[in-house]
Amino acid sequence: MDAAGAPYDFTAAGDPRGYADLATAAGLAWVARYADGVGLNKNLIVPRGAAGKLLAPTSVIRDAHRVKLLVHAWTFRAENQFLPADFWIGADPNARGDLTAEYELFYGLGLDGAFADQPDTAVAARAGL
C-alpha cells in the first residue's frame, strides 16, 4: 500500500476506496480475508511532516496484527535523502544517515519485515533488539 492513491484494479472497477481506506482497521480486516500480510509505504506507519520530521506513529501495525496480518514496510535506504530528517547525519543528502535508528523505531513498533537496499543493516538492527 502506498501513502497516497489507490490500487489500479479498484480504480478500473470504479471502487472509490484508496490505500488510506485499506490502511484502516476495517480495511485491514477486509484484506485479511484473502492475504497473510501487507507491504506498506513507511509513511503509512510513521508519517512525516512538511519538514521531513517524524510525526506520531499510526495504529496500522497494531490494527494489522489484530487481524493476523504480517506487516512489511518499504523501502529502507541509508542515504539521508531517504531518511526522516530526524535521522540525517550532516547536510549532504547523499551521505549515509542513521538507518539503524530508523530500523529500531519501526521494529519497536512491531514491524515484521522490511524491504531494504542494505539488508545487512536491517538484519543487524533486528538482531540488536
Side-chain angles (χ1 to χ4, degrees), residues 5-103:
Y8 173 78
D9 54 333
F10 282 22
T11 303
D15 188 327
R17 293 176 297 167
Y19 293 119
D21 299 303
L22 295 176
T24 65
L28 291 163
W30 181 80
V31 170
R33 294 181 1 211
Y34 66 87
D36 294 322
V38 290
L40 304 175
N41 179 305
K42 295 184 302 181
N43 293 329
L44 287 172
I45 299 169
V46 184
R48 298 182 198 189
K53 292 242 180 212
L54 294 170
L55 301 175
T58 69
S59 64
V60 70
I61 290 177
R62 183 181 67 237
D63 294 341
H65 285 167
R66 281 188 181 141
V67 293
K68 309 291 189 242
L69 287 170
L70 295 171
V71 179
H72 292 81
W74 50 274
T75 298
F76 290 86
R77 296 179 176 109
E79 297 84 7
N80 280 330
Q81 63 185 303
F82 301 114
L83 289 166
D86 312 68
F87 300 134
W88 276 46
I89 297 174
D92 180 355
N94 296 311
R96 188 178 182 99
D98 192 353
L99 180 59
T100 299
E102 186 178 37
Y103 281 125

Coordinates of all heavy atoms in Angstrom, one line a residue, residues 5-103:
G5 N -3.1 7.6 -3.1 CA -3.6 6.9 -4.3 C -4.4 5.7 -4.0 O -4.9 5.5 -2.9
A6 N -4.6 4.9 -5.0 CA -5.5 3.7 -5.0 C -4.9 2.6 -5.8 O -4.2 2.9 -6.8 CB -6.9 4.1 -5.4
P7 N -5.3 1.4 -5.5 CA -4.9 0.3 -6.4 C -5.5 0.4 -7.7 O -6.7 0.8 -7.9 CB -5.4 -1.0 -5.6 CG -5.7 -0.6 -4.2 CD -6.0 0.9 -4.3
Y8 N -4.8 0.0 -8.8 CA -5.3 0.2 -10.1 C -6.6 -0.6 -10.3 O -7.5 -0.1 -10.9 CB -4.2 -0.3 -11.1 CG -4.8 -0.3 -12.5 CD1 -4.9 0.8 -13.3 CD2 -5.3 -1.5 -13.1 CE1 -5.5 0.8 -14.5 CE2 -5.8 -1.5 -14.4 CZ -5.9 -0.4 -15.1 OH -6.5 -0.4 -16.3
D9 N -6.7 -1.8 -9.8 CA -7.9 -2.6 -10.0 C -9.1 -1.9 -9.4 O -10.2 -2.0 -9.9 CB -7.7 -4.1 -9.6 CG -7.2 -4.2 -8.1 OD1 -6.6 -3.3 -7.6 OD2 -7.5 -5.3 -7.5
F10 N -8.9 -1.2 -8.3 CA -10.0 -0.5 -7.7 C -10.5 0.6 -8.6 O -11.7 0.8 -8.9 CB -9.6 0.1 -6.3 CG -9.6 -0.9 -5.2 CD1 -9.4 -2.2 -5.3 CD2 -9.6 -0.4 -3.9 CE1 -9.4 -3.1 -4.3 CE2 -9.6 -1.2 -2.8 CZ -9.5 -2.6 -3.0
T11 N -9.5 1.4 -9.1 CA -9.8 2.5 -10.0 C -10.5 2.0 -11.2 O -11.6 2.6 -11.6 CB -8.5 3.3 -10.3 OG1 -7.9 3.7 -9.1 CG2 -8.8 4.4 -11.2
A12 N -10.0 0.9 -11.8 CA -10.6 0.4 -13.0 C -12.0 -0.1 -12.8 O -12.9 0.0 -13.7 CB -9.7 -0.7 -13.6
A13 N -12.3 -0.6 -11.6 CA -13.6 -1.1 -11.3 C -14.6 -0.1 -10.8 O -15.7 -0.4 -10.5 CB -13.5 -2.3 -10.3
G14 N -14.1 1.2 -10.6 CA -14.9 2.2 -10.1 C -15.1 2.2 -8.6 O -15.9 2.9 -8.0
D15 N -14.3 1.4 -7.9 CA -14.3 1.3 -6.5 C -13.6 2.6 -5.9 O -12.5 2.9 -6.3 CB -13.5 0.1 -6.0 CG -13.6 -0.2 -4.5 OD1 -13.7 0.8 -3.7 OD2 -13.5 -1.4 -4.1
P16 N -14.3 3.4 -5.1 CA -13.8 4.7 -4.7 C -12.7 4.6 -3.6 O -12.1 5.6 -3.2 CB -15.0 5.4 -4.1 CG -15.9 4.3 -3.6 CD -15.7 3.1 -4.6
R17 N -12.5 3.4 -3.0 CA -11.5 3.2 -2.0 C -10.1 3.4 -2.4 O -9.8 3.1 -3.6 CB -11.6 1.9 -1.3 CG -12.9 1.6 -0.6 CD -13.0 0.2 0.0 NE -13.0 -0.7 -1.1 CZ -12.8 -2.0 -1.0 NH1 -12.6 -2.6 0.2 NH2 -12.8 -2.8 -2.0
G18 N -9.3 4.0 -1.6 CA -7.9 4.2 -1.8 C -7.1 3.4 -0.8 O -7.6 2.8 0.1
Y19 N -5.7 3.6 -0.9 CA -4.9 3.0 0.1 C -5.1 3.4 1.5 O -5.1 2.6 2.4 CB -3.4 3.3 -0.3 CG -2.9 2.6 -1.5 CD1 -2.5 3.4 -2.6 CD2 -3.0 1.2 -1.7 CE1 -2.1 2.8 -3.8 CE2 -2.6 0.7 -2.9 CZ -2.1 1.4 -3.9 OH -1.7 0.9 -5.1
A20 N -5.5 4.7 1.7 CA -5.8 5.2 3.0 C -7.0 4.4 3.6 O -7.0 4.2 4.8 CB -6.2 6.7 3.0
D21 N -7.9 4.0 2.8 CA -9.1 3.2 3.3 C -8.6 1.8 3.7 O -9.1 1.3 4.7 CB -10.2 3.1 2.2 CG -10.7 4.5 1.8 OD1 -11.2 5.2 2.7 OD2 -10.6 4.8 0.6
L22 N -7.7 1.3 2.9 CA -7.3 -0.1 3.2 C -6.4 -0.1 4.4 O -6.2 -1.2 5.1 CB -6.5 -0.7 2.0 CG -7.3 -0.9 0.7 CD1 -6.5 -1.4 -0.4 CD2 -8.5 -1.9 1.0
A23 N -5.8 1.0 4.8 CA -4.9 1.0 5.9 C -5.6 1.3 7.2 O -5.0 1.4 8.3 CB -3.8 2.1 5.7
T24 N -6.9 1.3 7.2 CA -7.7 1.5 8.4 C -8.0 0.1 9.0 O -7.7 -0.9 8.4 CB -9.1 2.1 8.1 OG1 -9.8 1.2 7.3 CG2 -8.9 3.5 7.5
A25 N -8.4 0.1 10.3 CA -8.7 -1.2 10.9 C -9.7 -2.0 10.1 O -9.6 -3.2 9.8 CB -9.3 -1.0 12.3
A26 N -10.8 -1.4 9.6 CA -11.8 -2.1 8.8 C -11.2 -2.5 7.4 O -11.5 -3.6 7.0 CB -13.0 -1.1 8.5
G27 N -10.4 -1.7 6.8 CA -9.7 -2.0 5.6 C -8.8 -3.2 5.7 O -8.8 -4.1 4.9
L28 N -8.0 -3.2 6.8 CA -7.1 -4.3 7.0 C -7.9 -5.6 7.3 O -7.4 -6.7 6.9 CB -6.2 -4.0 8.2 CG -5.2 -2.9 7.8 CD1 -4.5 -2.3 9.1 CD2 -4.1 -3.4 6.9
A29 N -9.0 -5.5 8.0 CA -9.8 -6.7 8.2 C -10.3 -7.3 6.9 O -10.4 -8.5 6.7 CB -11.0 -6.4 9.2
W30 N -10.7 -6.4 6.0 CA -11.1 -6.8 4.6 C -9.9 -7.5 3.9 O -10.1 -8.6 3.3 CB -11.6 -5.6 3.9 CG -12.1 -6.0 2.5 CD1 -13.3 -6.5 2.2 CD2 -11.4 -5.8 1.3 NE1 -13.4 -6.7 0.8 CE2 -12.2 -6.3 0.2 CE3 -10.1 -5.3 0.9 CZ2 -11.8 -6.3 -1.1 CZ3 -9.7 -5.3 -0.4 CH2 -10.6 -5.8 -1.4
V31 N -8.7 -6.9 4.0 CA -7.5 -7.5 3.3 C -7.2 -8.9 3.9 O -6.8 -9.8 3.2 CB -6.3 -6.6 3.4 CG1 -5.0 -7.2 3.0 CG2 -6.6 -5.3 2.6
A32 N -7.4 -9.0 5.2 CA -7.1 -10.3 5.9 C -7.9 -11.4 5.4 O -7.6 -12.6 5.7 CB -7.2 -10.1 7.4
R33 N -9.0 -11.2 4.8 CA -9.9 -12.2 4.2 C -9.2 -13.0 3.1 O -9.5 -14.1 2.8 CB -11.2 -11.7 3.7 CG -12.1 -11.1 4.8 CD -13.4 -10.6 4.4 NE -13.7 -10.7 3.0 CZ -14.4 -9.8 2.3 NH1 -14.9 -8.8 2.9 NH2 -14.6 -10.0 1.0
Y34 N -8.2 -12.4 2.4 CA -7.5 -13.0 1.3 C -6.0 -13.0 1.4 O -5.3 -13.6 0.5 CB -8.0 -12.4 0.0 CG -7.5 -11.0 -0.2 CD1 -6.3 -10.6 -0.8 CD2 -8.4 -9.9 0.1 CE1 -5.9 -9.3 -1.0 CE2 -8.0 -8.6 0.0 CZ -6.8 -8.3 -0.6 OH -6.4 -7.0 -0.8
A35 N -5.4 -12.3 2.4 CA -3.9 -12.1 2.4 C -3.4 -12.5 3.8 O -4.1 -12.5 4.8 CB -3.6 -10.7 2.1
D36 N -2.1 -12.8 3.8 CA -1.4 -13.1 5.0 C -0.6 -11.9 5.5 O -0.2 -11.9 6.7 CB -0.4 -14.3 4.8 CG -1.2 -15.6 4.5 OD1 -2.2 -15.8 5.1 OD2 -0.7 -16.4 3.7
G37 N -0.4 -10.9 4.7 CA 0.4 -9.8 5.1 C 0.2 -8.6 4.2 O -0.5 -8.7 3.1
V38 N 0.7 -7.5 4.6 CA 0.7 -6.3 3.8 C 2.0 -5.7 3.7 O 2.9 -5.8 4.6 CB -0.3 -5.2 4.4 CG1 -1.8 -5.7 4.2 CG2 0.0 -4.9 5.8
G39 N 2.3 -5.1 2.6 CA 3.5 -4.3 2.4 C 3.1 -2.8 2.3 O 2.3 -2.4 1.5
L40 N 3.7 -2.0 3.3 CA 3.2 -0.7 3.4 C 4.4 0.3 3.1 O 5.5 0.1 3.5 CB 2.7 -0.4 4.8 CG 1.6 -1.3 5.4 CD1 1.4 -1.0 6.8 CD2 0.4 -1.1 4.6
N41 N 4.0 1.4 2.5 CA 4.9 2.6 2.5 C 5.2 3.0 3.9 O 4.3 3.0 4.7 CB 4.3 3.7 1.7 CG 5.1 4.9 1.6 OD1 5.6 5.5 2.6 ND2 5.3 5.4 0.4
K42 N 6.5 3.2 4.3 CA 6.8 3.6 5.7 C 6.0 4.8 6.2 O 5.7 4.8 7.4 CB 8.3 4.0 5.7 CG 9.3 2.9 5.4 CD 10.7 3.3 5.6 CE 11.1 4.5 4.8 NZ 12.5 4.9 4.9
N43 N 5.6 5.7 5.3 CA 4.8 6.8 5.8 C 3.4 6.5 6.2 O 2.8 7.3 6.9 CB 4.8 7.9 4.7 CG 6.2 8.5 4.4 OD1 7.0 8.5 5.3 ND2 6.4 8.9 3.2
L44 N 2.9 5.3 5.9 CA 1.6 4.9 6.5 C 1.8 4.4 7.9 O 0.8 4.4 8.7 CB 1.1 3.7 5.7 CG 0.5 4.1 4.3 CD1 0.1 2.8 3.5 CD2 -0.7 5.0 4.4
I45 N 3.0 4.1 8.3 CA 3.3 3.6 9.7 C 3.7 4.8 10.6 O 3.2 5.0 11.7 CB 4.4 2.5 9.6 CG1 3.9 1.4 8.8 CG2 4.8 2.1 11.0 CD1 4.9 0.3 8.5
V46 N 4.7 5.6 10.1 CA 5.1 6.8 10.8 C 5.2 7.9 9.8 O 6.1 8.0 9.0 CB 6.5 6.6 11.5 CG1 6.9 7.8 12.3 CG2 6.6 5.3 12.3
P47 N 4.2 8.7 9.8 CA 4.1 9.8 8.8 C 5.2 10.8 9.0 O 5.8 10.9 10.1 CB 2.7 10.4 9.0 CG 2.0 9.6 9.9 CD 3.0 8.7 10.6
R48 N 5.5 11.7 8.0 CA 6.4 12.8 8.2 C 5.7 14.1 7.9 O 4.8 14.2 7.1 CB 7.5 12.6 7.1 CG 8.3 11.4 7.3 CD 9.4 11.3 6.2 NE 10.0 10.0 6.1 CZ 11.0 9.7 5.4 NH1 11.7 10.6 4.7 NH2 11.4 8.4 5.3
G49 N 6.1 15.1 8.7 CA 5.6 16.4 8.5 C 6.2 17.1 7.3 O 7.1 16.5 6.6
A50 N 5.8 18.3 7.0 CA 6.3 19.1 5.8 C 7.8 19.2 5.8 O 8.4 19.3 4.7 CB 5.6 20.4 5.8
A51 N 8.4 19.3 7.0 CA 9.9 19.5 7.0 C 10.6 18.2 7.0 O 11.8 18.1 7.2 CB 10.2 20.3 8.3
G52 N 9.9 17.1 6.8 CA 10.5 15.7 6.8 C 10.7 15.1 8.2 O 11.3 14.0 8.3
K53 N 10.3 15.8 9.2 CA 10.5 15.2 10.6 C 9.3 14.2 10.8 O 8.2 14.4 10.3 CB 10.4 16.3 11.6 CG 11.6 17.2 11.5 CD 12.4 17.2 12.8 CE 13.6 18.1 12.8 NZ 14.6 17.6 13.6
L54 N 9.6 13.3 11.7 CA 8.7 12.2 12.0 C 7.5 12.8 12.8 O 7.7 13.6 13.7 CB 9.3 11.1 12.9 CG 10.4 10.3 12.1 CD1 11.1 9.4 13.1 CD2 9.7 9.5 11.0
L55 N 6.3 12.3 12.5 CA 5.1 12.6 13.3 C 4.8 11.4 14.2 O 5.5 10.4 14.1 CB 4.0 12.9 12.4 CG 4.2 14.1 11.4 CD1 3.0 14.3 10.5 CD2 4.4 15.4 12.3
A56 N 3.7 11.4 14.9 CA 3.4 10.3 15.8 C 3.0 9.0 14.9 O 2.4 9.2 13.8 CB 2.1 10.6 16.6
P57 N 3.4 7.9 15.4 CA 3.1 6.6 14.6 C 1.6 6.4 14.5 O 0.9 6.8 15.4 CB 3.8 5.5 15.5 CG 4.8 6.2 16.3 CD 4.3 7.6 16.5
T58 N 1.2 5.8 13.5 CA -0.2 5.4 13.3 C -0.5 4.1 14.0 O 0.5 3.5 14.5 CB -0.6 5.3 11.8 OG1 0.0 4.2 11.3 CG2 -0.3 6.6 11.1
S59 N -1.7 3.6 14.0 CA -2.0 2.3 14.6 C -2.0 1.2 13.6 O -2.4 0.1 13.9 CB -3.4 2.4 15.3 OG -4.4 2.7 14.3
V60 N -1.5 1.4 12.4 CA -1.7 0.5 11.3 C -1.0 -0.9 11.6 O -1.5 -1.9 11.3 CB -1.2 1.0 10.0 CG1 0.3 1.2 9.9 CG2 -1.7 0.2 8.8
I61 N 0.2 -0.9 12.3 CA 0.8 -2.2 12.6 C -0.1 -2.9 13.6 O -0.4 -4.1 13.5 CB 2.2 -2.0 13.1 CG1 3.2 -1.5 12.0 CG2 2.8 -3.3 13.7 CD1 4.6 -1.3 12.4
R62 N -0.5 -2.2 14.7 CA -1.3 -2.9 15.7 C -2.6 -3.4 15.1 O -3.1 -4.5 15.3 CB -1.6 -1.9 16.8 CG -2.4 -2.5 18.0 CD -2.7 -1.5 19.1 NE -3.6 -0.4 18.6 CZ -3.4 0.9 18.6 NH1 -2.2 1.3 19.0 NH2 -4.2 1.7 18.1
D63 N -3.2 -2.6 14.2 CA -4.5 -3.0 13.6 C -4.3 -4.2 12.7 O -5.1 -5.1 12.6 CB -5.1 -1.8 12.8 CG -5.5 -0.6 13.6 OD1 -5.7 -0.8 14.9 OD2 -5.6 0.5 13.1
A64 N -3.2 -4.2 11.9 CA -2.9 -5.4 11.1 C -2.7 -6.6 11.9 O -3.2 -7.7 11.5 CB -1.7 -5.1 10.2
H65 N -1.9 -6.5 12.9 CA -1.6 -7.7 13.8 C -2.9 -8.2 14.4 O -3.0 -9.4 14.6 CB -0.6 -7.3 14.8 CG 0.8 -7.2 14.3 ND1 1.9 -6.7 15.0 CD2 1.3 -7.6 13.1 CE1 3.0 -6.7 14.2 NE2 2.7 -7.3 13.1
R66 N -3.8 -7.3 14.8 CA -5.1 -7.8 15.4 C -5.9 -8.7 14.4 O -6.6 -9.6 14.9 CB -6.0 -6.6 15.7 CG -5.6 -5.9 17.0 CD -6.6 -4.8 17.4 NE -6.2 -4.2 18.6 CZ -6.3 -2.9 18.8 NH1 -6.9 -2.1 17.9 NH2 -5.9 -2.4 19.9
V67 N -5.7 -8.6 13.1 CA -6.4 -9.4 12.2 C -5.4 -10.4 11.6 O -5.7 -11.0 10.5 CB -7.2 -8.6 11.1 CG1 -8.3 -7.9 11.8 CG2 -6.2 -7.7 10.3
K68 N -4.3 -10.7 12.3 CA -3.3 -11.7 11.9 C -2.6 -11.4 10.6 O -2.2 -12.4 9.9 CB -4.0 -13.1 11.9 CG -4.8 -13.4 13.1 CD -3.9 -13.6 14.3 CE -4.7 -14.2 15.5 NZ -4.7 -13.3 16.6
L69 N -2.4 -10.2 10.3 CA -1.6 -9.9 9.1 C -0.2 -9.5 9.5 O 0.1 -8.8 10.5 CB -2.2 -8.6 8.4 CG -3.5 -8.8 7.6 CD1 -4.0 -7.4 7.2 CD2 -3.3 -9.7 6.4
L70 N 0.8 -10.0 8.7 CA 2.2 -9.6 8.9 C 2.3 -8.2 8.2 O 1.6 -7.9 7.3 CB 3.1 -10.6 8.2 CG 3.2 -12.0 8.8 CD1 4.0 -12.9 7.9 CD2 3.8 -12.0 10.2
V71 N 3.3 -7.5 8.7 CA 3.5 -6.1 8.1 C 4.9 -6.0 7.7 O 5.8 -6.1 8.6 CB 3.1 -5.0 9.2 CG1 3.4 -3.6 8.6 CG2 1.7 -5.1 9.6
H72 N 5.1 -5.7 6.5 CA 6.5 -5.3 5.9 C 6.4 -3.9 5.4 O 5.4 -3.5 4.9 CB 6.8 -6.3 4.8 CG 7.1 -7.7 5.3 ND1 6.0 -8.5 5.5 CD2 8.2 -8.3 5.5 CE1 6.5 -9.7 5.9 NE2 7.8 -9.6 6.0
A73 N 7.5 -3.2 5.6 CA 7.5 -1.8 5.1 C 8.5 -1.6 4.0 O 9.5 -2.3 4.0 CB 7.7 -0.8 6.3
W74 N 8.4 -0.5 3.2 CA 9.3 -0.2 2.2 C 9.5 1.2 2.0 O 8.7 2.0 2.5 CB 8.8 -0.8 0.8 CG 7.4 -0.5 0.5 CD1 6.3 -1.2 0.9 CD2 6.9 0.5 -0.3 NE1 5.2 -0.7 0.3 CE2 5.5 0.4 -0.4 CE3 7.6 1.6 -1.0 CZ2 4.8 1.3 -1.1 CZ3 6.8 2.5 -1.7 CH2 5.4 2.3 -1.8
T75 N 10.6 1.6 1.5 CA 11.9 1.0 1.3 C 12.8 1.7 2.2 O 12.9 2.9 2.2 CB 12.4 1.1 -0.2 OG1 11.4 0.4 -1.0 CG2 13.7 0.5 -0.4
F76 N 13.6 0.9 2.9 CA 14.6 1.4 3.8 C 15.9 1.6 3.1 O 16.4 0.7 2.4 CB 14.8 0.5 5.0 CG 13.6 0.5 6.0 CD1 12.6 -0.4 5.7 CD2 13.6 1.3 7.1 CE1 11.5 -0.4 6.6 CE2 12.5 1.3 7.9 CZ 11.4 0.4 7.7
R77 N 16.4 2.8 3.1 CA 17.7 3.2 2.4 C 18.5 4.0 3.4 O 18.0 4.8 4.2 CB 17.4 4.0 1.2 CG 16.6 3.2 0.2 CD 16.3 4.1 -1.0 NE 15.6 3.4 -2.1 CZ 14.3 3.6 -2.4 NH1 13.6 4.5 -1.7 NH2 13.8 2.9 -3.4
A78 N 19.9 3.9 3.2 CA 20.8 4.5 4.2 C 21.1 6.0 3.9 O 21.4 6.7 4.8 CB 22.1 3.8 4.2
E79 N 20.9 6.5 2.7 CA 21.2 7.8 2.4 C 20.2 8.8 3.0 O 19.0 8.6 3.1 CB 21.2 8.1 0.8 CG 22.2 7.2 0.1 CD 21.7 5.8 -0.2 OE1 20.5 5.5 0.0 OE2 22.5 5.0 -0.7
N80 N 20.8 9.9 3.5 CA 20.0 10.9 4.2 C 18.7 11.3 3.4 O 17.6 11.4 4.0 CB 20.8 12.2 4.4 CG 21.7 12.2 5.5 OD1 21.5 11.5 6.5 ND2 22.8 12.9 5.4
Q81 N 18.8 11.4 2.1 CA 17.6 11.9 1.3 C 16.4 10.9 1.4 O 15.3 11.3 1.2 CB 18.0 12.1 -0.1 CG 18.4 10.8 -0.8 CD 18.9 11.0 -2.2 OE1 18.2 11.6 -3.0 NE2 20.1 10.6 -2.5
F82 N 16.7 9.7 1.9 CA 15.6 8.7 2.0 C 15.1 8.6 3.5 O 14.1 7.9 3.7 CB 16.0 7.4 1.4 CG 16.3 7.4 0.0 CD1 17.6 7.2 -0.5 CD2 15.4 7.8 -1.0 CE1 18.0 7.3 -1.8 CE2 15.7 7.8 -2.3 CZ 17.0 7.6 -2.7
L83 N 15.8 9.2 4.4 CA 15.6 9.0 5.8 C 14.7 10.2 6.3 O 14.8 11.3 5.7 CB 16.9 9.0 6.6 CG 17.7 7.7 6.5 CD1 19.1 7.9 7.0 CD2 17.0 6.6 7.2
P84 N 14.0 10.0 7.4 CA 13.3 11.2 8.0 C 14.4 12.2 8.4 O 15.6 11.7 8.8 CB 12.6 10.6 9.2 CG 12.5 9.1 9.0 CD 13.7 8.8 8.1
A85 N 14.1 13.4 8.5 CA 15.1 14.4 8.9 C 15.7 14.1 10.2 O 16.8 14.5 10.5 CB 14.5 15.8 8.8
D86 N 14.9 13.5 11.1 CA 15.4 13.1 12.4 C 16.6 12.3 12.4 O 17.4 12.2 13.4 CB 14.3 12.4 13.2 CG 12.9 13.0 13.1 OD1 12.4 13.1 12.0 OD2 12.4 13.5 14.1
F87 N 16.8 11.5 11.3 CA 17.9 10.6 11.3 C 19.1 11.0 10.3 O 19.9 10.2 10.0 CB 17.4 9.2 11.0 CG 16.4 8.7 11.9 CD1 15.2 8.1 11.5 CD2 16.6 8.8 13.3 CE1 14.3 7.6 12.4 CE2 15.7 8.3 14.2 CZ 14.5 7.7 13.8
W88 N 19.0 12.2 9.8 CA 20.1 12.6 9.0 C 21.4 12.8 9.8 O 21.3 13.2 10.9 CB 19.7 14.0 8.4 CG 18.9 13.9 7.1 CD1 17.8 13.2 6.9 CD2 19.1 14.7 5.9 NE1 17.3 13.4 5.7 CE2 18.0 14.3 5.0 CE3 20.0 15.6 5.5 CZ2 17.9 14.9 3.8 CZ3 19.9 16.2 4.3 CH2 18.8 15.8 3.4
I89 N 22.5 12.5 9.2 CA 23.8 12.8 9.7 C 24.5 13.7 8.7 O 24.8 13.4 7.6 CB 24.6 11.5 9.9 CG1 24.0 10.6 10.9 CG2 26.1 11.9 10.4 CD1 24.7 9.2 11.1
G90 N 24.7 15.0 9.2 CA 25.2 16.0 8.3 C 24.1 16.5 7.3 O 22.9 16.2 7.5
A91 N 24.6 17.4 6.4 CA 23.6 18.0 5.5 C 23.6 17.5 4.1 O 22.8 17.8 3.3 CB 23.9 19.5 5.4
D92 N 24.6 16.6 3.8 CA 24.7 16.0 2.4 C 23.6 15.0 2.2 O 23.5 14.0 2.9 CB 26.0 15.4 2.2 CG 26.3 14.8 0.9 OD1 25.3 14.8 0.0 OD2 27.4 14.3 0.6
P93 N 22.7 15.2 1.3 CA 21.6 14.3 1.1 C 22.0 12.9 0.6 O 21.3 11.9 0.8 CB 20.7 14.9 0.0 CG 21.5 16.0 -0.6 CD 22.6 16.4 0.3
N94 N 23.2 12.8 0.0 CA 23.7 11.5 -0.4 C 24.6 10.8 0.6 O 25.0 9.7 0.4 CB 24.5 11.7 -1.7 CG 23.7 12.2 -2.8 OD1 22.6 11.6 -3.1 ND2 24.1 13.2 -3.5
A95 N 24.9 11.5 1.8 CA 25.7 10.9 2.8 C 24.8 9.8 3.6 O 23.6 9.9 3.5 CB 26.2 11.9 3.8
R96 N 25.5 8.9 4.2 CA 24.8 7.9 5.0 C 24.3 8.5 6.3 O 25.0 9.1 7.0 CB 25.7 6.7 5.3 CG 25.0 5.5 5.9 CD 26.0 4.4 6.1 NE 25.4 3.2 6.7 CZ 24.9 2.2 6.0 NH1 25.1 2.1 4.7 NH2 24.3 1.2 6.6
G97 N 23.0 8.3 6.5 CA 22.4 8.7 7.8 C 22.3 7.6 8.8 O 22.9 6.5 8.6
D98 N 21.5 7.8 9.8 CA 21.4 6.8 10.9 C 20.2 5.8 10.6 O 19.2 5.9 11.2 CB 21.1 7.5 12.2 CG 21.3 6.6 13.4 OD1 21.4 5.3 13.2 OD2 21.2 7.1 14.5
L99 N 20.5 5.0 9.6 CA 19.5 4.0 9.2 C 19.1 3.0 10.4 O 18.0 2.6 10.5 CB 20.0 3.2 8.0 CG 19.1 2.1 7.4 CD1 17.8 2.7 7.0 CD2 19.8 1.4 6.3
T100 N 20.1 2.7 11.2 CA 19.9 1.8 12.3 C 18.8 2.4 13.2 O 17.9 1.7 13.7 CB 21.2 1.5 13.1 OG1 22.1 0.9 12.2 CG2 20.9 0.6 14.3
A101 N 18.8 3.7 13.5 CA 17.8 4.3 14.3 C 16.4 4.2 13.7 O 15.4 4.0 14.4 CB 18.2 5.8 14.6
E102 N 16.4 4.3 12.4 CA 15.1 4.2 11.7 C 14.6 2.7 11.9 O 13.4 2.5 12.2 CB 15.1 4.5 10.3 CG 13.8 4.5 9.6 CD 13.7 4.9 8.2 OE1 14.7 4.6 7.4 OE2 12.8 5.6 7.8
Y103 N 15.4 1.8 11.7 CA 15.0 0.4 11.9 C 14.5 0.2 13.3 O 13.5 -0.5 13.6 CB 16.1 -0.6 11.6 CG 16.3 -0.9 10.1 CD1 17.6 -0.7 9.5 CD2 15.3 -1.4 9.3 CE1 17.8 -0.9 8.2 CE2 15.5 -1.6 8.0 CZ 16.7 -1.4 7.4 OH 16.9 -1.7 6.1

